[in-house]
Amino acid sequence: MNTLDFTPFYRSFIGFDHLANLMDAAARNEKQPAYPPYNIEVTGEDQYRITMAIAGFDEAELSIETEHNNLVVRGQKADKTEGRRFLHQGIAERNFERKFQLSDYIKVTGAQMSHGLLHIELIREVPEALKPRKISINQQSTAKAVPQLLEENSNLAQVSNA
């Protein structure tokens, strides 16, 4: 197994240690099972959809949780095979847990089921303070503004002289 050493990058990239830790954790992460299969698609600018094939599951048997930039989808199937004999059982009715690492500012906006597919809608909501903004350049006046602090100090000097 190949492992990546990010140590040389720590010397010249300041503040990217979080990204290196995420990549290192993903490389060490245990393999997730292939069940249930899923798609991740881009549905618009800053909008995403995860679609999972979960045939045979009811809404009450599913849970979707987000915590610390992790999305966890769990399916807990009740054992209903009692009293039934199968010659062949090809429909997977087993429990599952699927984890997704979410980027900063990704929010889950909703989930719906239709035709055995679970659709989870996500959107990236960057706060206004972090969005780029245009700064206009004023050319109306070239006079320097007097800082408020200097005015207050001169007023204090006048009061103390009186």
Side-chain angles (χ1 to χ4, degrees):
M1 180 175 156
N2 294 336
T3 59
L4 299 173
D5 183 19
F6 295 106
T7 307
F9 296 113
Y10 291 137
R11 288 180 275 174
S12 57
F13 294 111
I14 310 297
F16 287 93
D17 54 333
H18 176 69
L19 178 61
N21 291 339
L22 283 175
M23 291 176 66
D24 189 39
R28 283 182 299 173
N29 196 4
E30 68 277 354
K31 298 257 183 200
Q32 286 196 20
Y35 179 76
Y38 65 93
N39 294 334
I40 301 174
E41 61 184 301
V42 178
T43 58
E45 187 174 336
D46 295 331
Q47 296 178 346
Y48 307 92
R49 177 183 297 134
I50 299 172
T51 302
M52 300 177 72
I54 53 166
F57 280 86
D58 195 10
E59 289 180 27
E61 299 170 326
L62 299 171
S63 72
I64 303 170
E65 299 174 359
T66 59
E67 182 178 355
H68 302 295
N69 290 356
N70 284 314
L71 170 65
V72 180
V73 182
R74 289 185 186 91
Q76 296 289 331
K77 194 71 175 160
D79 188 21
K80 296 181 183 177
T81 59
E82 189 175 307
R84 295 168 56 186
R85 281 186 32 204
F86 292 96
L87 294 177
H88 172 74
Q89 186 176 6
I91 299 173
E93 291 184 345
R94 60 182 180 255
N95 297 341
F96 69 88
E97 180 177 283
R98 175 69 69 173
K99 295 180 181 180
F100 299 94
Q101 181 73 34
L102 302 178
S103 176
D104 292 336
Y105 315 118
I106 296 286
K107 304 279 190 258
V108 177
T109 59
Q112 63 182 10
M113 282 185 55
S114 65
H115 306 291
L117 298 174
L118 174 65
H119 303 283
I120 303 171
E121 304 293 332
L122 305 127
I123 189 167
R124 179 188 323 266
E125 292 180 345
V126 179
E128 287 296 323
L130 298 178
K131 289 183 180 178
R133 59 187 176 106
K134 184 151 177 96
I135 309 297
S136 63
I137 300 171
N138 294 331
Q139 295 183 354
Q140 297 174 1
S141 150
T142 58
K144 293 184 179 180
V146 177
Q148 184 68 24
L149 185 59
L150 292 178
E151 290 178 9
E152 291 175 3
N153 287 342
S154 64
N155 290 340
L156 288 175
Q158 290 174 359
V159 171
S160 63
N161 291 338

